[in-house]
Amino acid sequence: MEWIRWLSVADRYAKMDLDRHLAPLGLNSSQHMYIVRVCRSPGVQQDQLAEIFHIHPSNVTRSIAYLEKEGFLRREQNPRDKRTSRLYPTDRAQQACGRIEEICENWQHAVTADFTEEETALLNRLLLRVAGSAVARIESQNAGEEEK
């Protein structure tokens, strides 16, 4: 149970650092990932973001609405399915994207500064496995509840 506590501490402090560094861009730690994803995958469907980030769709909708209002993203109706929207970066998002990636990389480098390359690679692999197991566990439980 100890490692759950430390993951939570690391997450809170990462968000505090991101919030501090993203504020001049008009962003916070819960919005930046959408800009990066849309810049990397222009035309991504909004509903795909909930799946990609494992976030409730209402949270995605709220963040996308803010980013659209603030001029970071633009939404276009999907011509193949009028019920869905595709998201595209604006010039403002394109300009912010590089800085966002730099901020995130700086945090990762800072908190792993005394790690070897092997330790950093191992940490990345282990965190990916933990996250994958967590998602699989909850999705399995949710699927079991739906069958009832």
Side-chain angles (χ1 to χ4, degrees):
M1 186 146 132
E2 217 32 43
W3 62 269
I4 294 172
R5 182 176 104 188
W6 296 119
L7 281 175
S8 178
V9 169
D11 178 60
R12 277 194 316 276
Y13 279 82
K15 287 177 180 173
M16 288 167 50
D17 188 75
L18 286 172
D19 285 339
R20 181 179 297 123
H21 288 94
L22 293 170
L25 300 174
L27 299 168
N28 67 37
S29 60
S30 65
Q31 300 159 336
H32 74 289
M33 61 197 181
Y34 299 111
I35 292 176
V36 172
R37 176 58 67 165
V38 172
C39 285
R40 289 181 181 168
S41 305
V44 65
Q45 291 183 176
Q46 180 173 329
D47 57 335
Q48 289 175 310
L49 295 175
E51 294 172 25
I52 291 167
F53 296 120
H54 303 281
I55 296 176
H56 195 276
S58 64
N59 293 339
V60 174
T61 299
R62 190 172 26 260
S63 290
I64 296 303
Y66 172 83
L67 294 171
E68 188 176 25
K69 184 182 113 207
E70 294 300 313
F72 286 100
L73 302 178
R74 65 183 169 79
R75 184 190 322 244
E76 289 183 12
Q77 190 174 50
N78 184 348
R80 294 186 197 153
D81 182 355
K82 305 286 186 205
R83 298 168 297 165
T84 62
S85 298
R86 295 197 175 274
L87 299 169
Y88 295 91
T90 63
D91 289 341
R92 184 174 185 193
Q94 294 285 8
Q95 292 170 0
C97 187
R99 180 69 184 125
I100 293 167
E101 291 173 326
E102 180 183 332
I103 290 166
C104 292
E105 287 175 23
N106 287 345
W107 170 257
Q108 285 184 248
H109 290 310
V111 298
T112 59
D114 62 343
F115 287 26
T116 65
E117 280 186 44
E118 294 79 18
E119 288 172 329
T120 301
L122 177 61
L123 175 63
N124 287 332
R125 286 194 309 274
L126 292 174
L127 287 173
L128 183 60
R129 285 178 56 194
V130 167
S133 294
V135 168
R137 178 177 169 80
I138 297 302
E139 286 180 352
S140 173
Q141 289 173 355
N142 289 346
E145 289 174 7
E146 289 174 7
E147 291 175 4
K148 291 181 182 178

